[in-house]
């Protein structure tokens, strides 16, 4: 998978249909040659890294090489203040206060498999033949600082996982002020920048615009990957669409502050980059110490956005998500949040569980409000002891009663937070992030615990582990309902305060790792005020994430469509809720709410003790359909058929790997008078096979008919929908 040619030094990383190539410039710089369609390894390509200088180019005089122009090289890992003027990947302040690195090739290693990234989430392999890893050492001769670039290429995929490790091999301390995971140069700027901005209840909408000169970027300064900018962007060749054209993806396996983008230079060439947000970041490296960046996963496809999504979906569900639940159908749940909010008693919960069971529900989740004296969002985070009025006998008896009703029991937690009105805060007022002498800014009446301090992580871990040991808890919803402000730690010396935001994430990851190792059978669902921390970092610990607090079916079309660009449908929590919808007041038909929720891990978020008999019958059918299609959800390839961003309706489908089964969903937003909707053309089916609709509008068609002519969609009312569950059939041809 990785080929090295010695003269001149050239590297070829061979993916399924793609090649990533680099060469060492005669001056020692590691330069990029190509990423895209597959190439035969040929050392002559190294010529590409020699570039003519431009007026105003800084030039390095080198014996035998003349003067090498430095602002035109296609650097793999560009530095600051030594001749390149674009966005650097790394910057360091030396002991004498000066900045600058000149990174030159020193050596490399090629090893089978993929090493772990200590303390960080990452993609992985199960056997060494699944991937090969190339590590290239670059060094600055003046300071001794070494950068080791890591590239993993996976067999049968078109993805490259990249990260960097910065080691101080010099005699003096230094401070790393920027340590991106990777940069990547492109010839030309004929690309669209696609990214997933949003807000609470409006996460991951798709935006696309042509690259322009200068920098276009995404970032988070919130201490979480955030609702506002997902740590993902793509560069799509101009004209590339869902099914055609070259697309490059950049997805950071990290849940904290991030920064990614593309800079178009004076020659209209492009440099893409991604990593931890440099603002506010300063990491001290004493001699021999190292800093490891998170991993960024590059994906490439020449089959448009669908091809790109399939690369990410397959890798993330197979080799990012881990553990017991990775390859198992997840239970269909009911969550009491929208049914009761804080207004519940044990009796009310048992009644809700009792009404849910006959619908086919398998897991009952007790959300916020079960602990301390929490009757609203004003208090008690950190006091993880059962609420004395609501759960007078504790959690275990409730969990057991739910189990006796035939349901698993799940629990909501928000371990990273503390309420100022809590016993924990009164006992340890310095355990939150804060700056002495400044106001402690609250968000949802709460403060953020200082998870950059191991003693804080340890204390909260002990409490949470006891809860999971003491009651039969099969599922945890891990919430995080505010962003980080006054990022500073009472446990850290002044010169190391710039490490706090990243050390916070390392503390969170250490906590999560310990928890998933200690409780391997618990299903964890990530959440951060809905989808505020829906990123690959979280997926390494939690195989699913609550996609958004907005449970309105029509809003969800956009949210889920954007999410599906990177994240596999089986990672998306998607629930049916009551109408009028609690977030935006919209009334949609039950079937539409159900069909939209089939795009992810299906559940209910409603008071089924008050539902009408017709609603209960409808719910029973939808739960059954979710059960019948959840295997498809876990393995199937997802196709976005009609974008909710481009018109008045939306459609998507899932197809099983062999094309034997498919689920298709179409949703109309606002009906128009006298309008016949266009036929819905499907994708990914076996063209020669016949398919029968086993749930939904009756019919039997050949795969080619479904893909070339399509299904008719006789919908006439606002918010109406159709779902087709198709199965391959054998036997006589359809008439
Ligand atoms: C925010 C979550 O996204 C909701 O689903 C719910 O769990 C609330 N927090 C509880 O406070």
């Amino acid at each position: 998978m990785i080929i090295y040619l010695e003269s001149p030094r050239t590297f070829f990383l061979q993916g399924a249909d793609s090649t990533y190539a680099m060469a060492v410039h005669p001056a020692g710089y590691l330069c990029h040659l190509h990423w895209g369609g597959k190439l035969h390894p040929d050392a002559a390509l190294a010529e590409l890294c020699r570039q003519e200088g431009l007026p105003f180019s800084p030039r390095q005089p080198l014996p035998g090489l003349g003067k090498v122009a430095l602002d035109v090289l296609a650097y793999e890992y560009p530095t600051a203040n030594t001749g390149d003027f674009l966005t650097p990947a790394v910057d360091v302040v030396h002991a004498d206060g000066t900045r600058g690195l000149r990174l030159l090739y020193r050596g490399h290693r090629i090893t089978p498999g993929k090493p772990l990234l200590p303390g960080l989430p990452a993609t992985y392999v199960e056997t060494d033949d699944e991937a090969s890893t190339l590590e290239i050492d670059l060094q600055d001769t003046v300071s001794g600082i070494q950068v080791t670039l890591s590239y993993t290429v996976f067999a049968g995929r078109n993805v490259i996982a990249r990260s960097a490790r910065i080691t101080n091999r010099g005699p003096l301390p230094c401070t790393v002020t920027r340590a991106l995971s990777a940069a990547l140069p492109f010839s030309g700027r004929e690309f669209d920048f696609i990214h997933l901005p949003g807000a609470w209840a409006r996460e991951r909408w798709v935006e696309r615009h042509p690259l322009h000169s200068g920098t276009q970027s995404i970032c988070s300064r919130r201490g979480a990957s955030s609702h506002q900018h997902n740590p993902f962007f793509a560069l799509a060749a101009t004209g590339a669409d869902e099914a055609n054209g070259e697309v490059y993806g950049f997805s950071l396996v990290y849940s904290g502050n991030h920064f990614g983008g593309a800079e178009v230079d004076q020659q209209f060439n492009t440099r893409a980059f991604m990593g931890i947000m440099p603002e506010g970041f300063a990491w001290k490296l004493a001699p021999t110490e190292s800093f490891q960046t998170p991993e960024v996963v590059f994906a490439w496809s020449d089959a448009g956005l669908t091809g790109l999504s399939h690369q990410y979906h397959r890798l993330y569900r197979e080799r990012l998500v881990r553990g017991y639940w990775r390859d198992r159908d997840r239970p269909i749940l009911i969550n009491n949040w929208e049914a009761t909010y804080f207004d519940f008693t044990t009796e009310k919960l048992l009644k809700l569980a009792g009404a849910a069971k006959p619908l086919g529900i398998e897991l009952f989740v007790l959300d916020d409000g079960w602990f301390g004296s929490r009757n609203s969002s004003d208090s008690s985070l950190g006091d993880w002891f059962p609420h004395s009025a609501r759960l007078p006998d504790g959690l275990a008896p409730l969990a057991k009663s739910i189990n006796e009703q035939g349901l698993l029991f799940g629990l909501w937690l928000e371990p990273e937070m503390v309420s100022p009105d809590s016993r924990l805060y009164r006992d340890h007022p310095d355990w939150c992030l804060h700056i002495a002498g400044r106001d402690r800014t609250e968000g949802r009446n709460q403060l953020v615990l200082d998870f950059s301090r191991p003693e804080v992580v340890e204390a909260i871990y002990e409490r949470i582990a006891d809860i999971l040991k003491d009651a039969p808890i099969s599922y945890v919803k891990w919430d995080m309902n505010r962003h980080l402000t006054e990022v500073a730690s009472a446990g850290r010396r002044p010169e190391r305060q710039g490490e706090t935001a990243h050390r916070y994430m390392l503390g969170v990851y250490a906590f999560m790792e310990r928890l998933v190792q200690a409780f391997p059978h618990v299903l964890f669902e990530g959440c951060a005020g809905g989808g505020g921390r829906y990123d690959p970092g979280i997926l390494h610990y939690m195989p699913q994430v609550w996609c958004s607090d907005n449970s309105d079916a029509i809003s969800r079309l956009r949210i889920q469509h954007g999410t599906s660009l990177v994240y596999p449908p089986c990672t998306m929590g998607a629930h049916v809720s009551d109408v009028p919808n609690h977030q935006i007041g919209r009334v949609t038909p039950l079937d539409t709410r159900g069909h939209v929720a089939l795009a992810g891990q299906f559940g209910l978020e409603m008071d089924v003790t008050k539902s009408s008999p017709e609603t209960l019958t409808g719910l029973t059918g939808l739960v059954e359909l979710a059960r019948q299609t959840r295997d498809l959800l876990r393995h199937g390839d997802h196709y976005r058929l009609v974008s909710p961003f481009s018109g008045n309706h939306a459609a998507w489908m899932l197809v099983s790997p062999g094309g034997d089964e498919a689920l298709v969903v179409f949703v109309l937003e606002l009906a128009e008078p006298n309008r016949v909707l266009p036929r819905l053309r499907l994708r990914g089916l076996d063209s020669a096979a016949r398919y029968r609709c086993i749930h939904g509008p009756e019919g039997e068609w050949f795969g080619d008919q479904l893909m070339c002519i399509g299904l008719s969609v006789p919908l006439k009312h606002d918010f109406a929908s159709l779902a087709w569950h198709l199965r391959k059939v054998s036997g006589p041809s359809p008439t």
Side-chain angles (χ1 to χ4, degrees):
M1 280 177 265
I2 298 180
I3 296 155
Y4 170 63
L5 304 176
E6 177 65 41
S7 183
R9 294 190 180 102
T10 326
F11 301 92
F12 293 87
L13 282 60
Q14 303 293 61
D17 325 288
S18 54
T19 294
Y20 189 107
M22 297 171 273
V24 180
H25 184 281
Y29 299 106
L30 182 67
C31 292
H32 184 76
L33 300 176
H34 168 78
W35 186 33
K38 202 154 190 167
L39 297 177
H40 296 290
D42 178 3
L45 282 179
E47 264 311 299
L48 290 174
C49 66
R50 291 177 182 261
Q51 295 288 333
E52 284 292 312
L54 300 166
F56 276 82
S57 278
R59 289 164 201 266
Q60 183 187 11
L62 284 170
L65 292 174
K67 291 188 177 174
V68 177
L70 296 174
D71 64 342
V72 289
L73 298 184
Y75 298 98
E76 274 289 315
Y77 201 65
T79 60
N81 205 22
T82 47
D84 178 74
F85 298 118
L86 300 181
T87 307
V90 59
D91 201 359
V92 166
V93 178
H94 302 289
D96 63 0
T98 63
R99 291 168 54 222
L101 291 174
R102 194 179 291 296
L103 293 178
L104 303 180
Y105 172 86
R106 282 288 166 269
H108 73 271
R109 295 163 295 285
I110 296 172
T111 48
K114 181 175 194 285
L116 299 173
L117 287 193
L120 285 166
T123 54
Y124 61 91
V125 292
E126 290 195 329
T127 55
D128 277 353
D129 57 358
E130 291 180 15
S132 286
T133 298
L134 166 67
E135 286 191 318
I136 304 181
D137 296 325
L138 309 175
Q139 196 165 24
D140 177 47
T141 44
V142 175
S143 65
I145 291 169
Q146 179 176 306
V147 173
T148 301
L149 300 180
S150 172
Y151 301 80
T152 296
V153 55
F154 293 84
R157 306 183 193 270
N158 293 311
V159 296
I160 305 278
R162 277 190 63 178
S163 65
R165 189 170 64 251
I166 301 162
T167 306
N168 186 356
R169 298 218 181 280
L172 298 171
C174 66
T175 304
V176 181
T177 54
R178 169 186 295 253
L180 300 188
S181 300
L184 187 73
F186 288 89
S187 168
R189 67 157 187 194
E190 288 70 35
F191 295 101
D192 291 343
F193 189 77
I194 299 178
H195 62 124
L196 302 173
W200 174 79
R202 187 165 37 81
E203 295 91 340
R204 293 174 295 284
W205 280 27
V206 181
E207 279 191 17
R208 176 173 182 158
H209 53 77
L211 287 187
H212 56 74
S213 291
T215 302
Q216 35 260 282
S217 65
I218 54 161
C219 75
S220 169
R221 302 179 180 88
R222 294 169 176 266
S225 50
S226 85
H227 308 83
Q228 286 72 14
H229 285 284
N230 198 258
F232 164 80
F233 69 92
L235 295 180
T238 307
D241 57 21
E242 271 295 338
N244 304 291
E246 276 195 299
V247 193
Y248 297 83
F250 304 83
S251 167
L252 189 67
V253 187
Y254 190 59
S255 313
N257 293 334
H258 58 83
F259 176 54
E263 183 173 7
V264 176
D265 70 14
Q266 56 176 336
Q267 295 298 313
F268 310 111
N269 292 319
T270 303
R271 175 179 293 170
F273 52 86
M274 196 166 221
I276 289 182
M277 175 55 149
E279 272 173 44
F281 172 87
W283 197 279
K284 204 142 180 83
L285 283 186
T288 74
E289 283 182 351
S290 291
F291 177 79
Q292 173 64 58
T293 74
E295 163 172 299
V296 58
V297 177
F298 291 0
W300 170 85
S301 167
D302 60 358
L305 289 165
T306 305
L308 187 82
S309 298
H310 287 178
Q311 290 296 325
Y312 280 121
H313 291 184
R314 290 171 191 158
L315 179 72
Y316 284 179
R317 68 179 186 235
E318 292 164 8
R319 293 294 180 263
L320 174 65
V321 167
R322 296 174 293 169
Y324 179 83
W325 287 103
R326 184 189 69 184
D327 301 325
R328 285 185 166 78
D329 288 337
R330 319 275 168 72
I332 298 175
L333 65 82
I334 184 162
N335 179 305
N336 76 308
W337 180 240
E338 289 198 18
T340 67
Y341 296 102
F342 291 106
D343 180 19
F344 63 84
T345 57
T346 301
E347 292 66 43
K348 211 168 177 178
L349 297 176
L350 289 172
K351 216 170 135 206
L352 186 60
K357 173 66 187 162
L359 307 176
I361 296 296
E362 298 158 324
L363 163 68
F364 179 88
V365 180
L366 171 54
D367 210 280
D368 196 353
W370 61 266
F371 52 92
S373 40
R374 186 145 165 112
N375 300 318
S376 70
S377 63
D378 281 350
S379 82
S380 302
L381 292 169
D383 294 346
W384 301 111
F385 299 93
H387 192 291
S388 54
R390 293 189 177 136
L391 301 172
D393 304 324
L395 268 176
L398 172 67
K400 284 180 191 149
S401 305
I402 299 274
N403 288 170
E404 278 156 20
Q405 297 200 21
L407 295 164
L408 299 169
F409 179 75
L411 193 65
W412 179 96
L413 290 165
E414 196 174 1
E416 296 156 76
M417 299 292 155
V418 62
S419 306
D421 181 8
S422 67
R423 214 162 70 195
L424 182 73
Y425 188 69
R426 285 187 281 278
D427 290 349
H428 299 285
D430 67 331
W431 274 15
C432 63
L433 295 174
H434 67 282
I435 299 176
R438 292 193 184 275
D439 286 343
R440 299 178 178 198
T441 306
E442 294 178 20
R444 209 190 187 212
N445 313 308
Q446 63 199 52
L447 298 165
V448 183
L449 283 172
D450 183 358
F451 267 45
S452 75
R453 293 172 67 178
E455 65 274 32
V456 177
V457 174
E458 179 63 32
I460 306 298
Y461 178 82
E462 289 304 331
R463 188 72 284 273
I464 300 295
D466 281 349
I467 293 168
L468 297 184
K469 272 182 233 152
D470 292 347
I473 294 168
S474 305
Y475 161 108
V476 165
K477 176 177 174 185
W478 178 306
D479 210 343
M480 194 258 185
N481 281 301
R482 63 155 292 179
H483 292 141
L484 279 53
T485 56
E486 294 88 41
V487 179
S489 172
R492 184 148 306 107
R493 295 156 63 92
E495 68 275 19
R496 288 197 176 264
Q497 288 295 339
E499 300 174 13
T500 305
H502 181 59
R503 286 198 186 276
Y504 174 86
M505 273 326 307
L506 293 179
V508 170
Y509 289 144
F511 188 126
M512 290 179 176
E513 182 67 24
R514 231 174 126 185
L515 212 56
V516 301
Q517 296 303 338
F519 302 95
H521 296 117
V522 172
L523 171 62
F524 288 89
E525 177 153 350
C527 176
R533 210 163 55 175
Y534 199 145
D535 58 65
I538 293 298
L539 290 179
H540 193 54
Y541 307 92
M542 311 194 177
Q544 58 195 62
V545 179
W546 179 225
C547 196
S548 176
D549 272 349
N550 190 340
S551 60
D552 168 63
I554 301 302
S555 304
R556 276 287 184 130
L557 292 175
R558 285 169 180 72
I559 295 167
Q560 294 177 180
H561 178 98
T563 304
S564 79
L565 231 51
V566 201
Y567 303 104
C570 62
T571 66
M572 275 192 242
H575 300 172
V576 177
S577 59
D578 274 317
V579 287
N581 173 267
H582 292 196
Q583 290 77 41
I584 62 165
R586 189 159 21 220
V587 177
T588 50
L590 179 65
D591 268 355
T592 302
R593 284 173 274 150
H595 294 161
V596 172
L598 288 171
Q601 294 296 345
F602 192 91
L604 306 184
E605 186 104 7
M606 59 196 291
D607 189 352
V608 289
T609 63
K610 300 206 179 100
S611 299
S612 67
E614 300 74 52
T615 300
L616 293 176
T617 307
L619 284 172
T620 310
L622 288 165
V623 169
E624 183 52 27
L625 184 55
R627 192 196 326 280
Q628 284 181 14
T629 52
R630 65 181 159 185
D631 183 56
L632 190 53
L633 184 77
R634 206 150 49 69
H635 297 298
D637 282 332
H638 180 263
Y639 292 86
R640 293 172 293 269
L641 299 176
V642 183
S643 166
F645 293 99
S646 61
N648 202 18
H649 53 275
W652 53 269
M653 69 184 288
L654 282 162
V655 186
S656 64
D660 289 351
E661 191 188 353
L663 175 69
V664 184
V665 168
F666 182 104
V667 180
L668 172 64
E669 294 194 15
L670 296 180
E672 291 166 39
N674 191 18
R675 169 85 204 274
V676 178
L677 289 166
R679 296 181 80 91
L680 179 64
R681 287 163 64 167
L682 308 189
R683 298 181 61 195
L685 298 174
D686 176 349
S687 51
R690 291 184 313 109
Y691 290 87
R692 179 177 301 146
C693 185
I694 57 169
H695 176 103
E698 270 181 29
E700 213 172 294
W701 311 267
F702 276 111
D704 53 7
Q705 295 165 354
L706 291 169
M707 294 192 286
C708 298
I709 299 173
L711 290 162
S712 85
V713 188
L715 294 178
K716 297 202 175 344
H717 302 291
D718 288 357
F719 315 132
S721 70
L722 283 171
W724 297 258
H725 186 191
L726 303 173
R727 249 240 181 95
K728 232 184 221 183
V729 286
S730 47
S733 303
T735 50

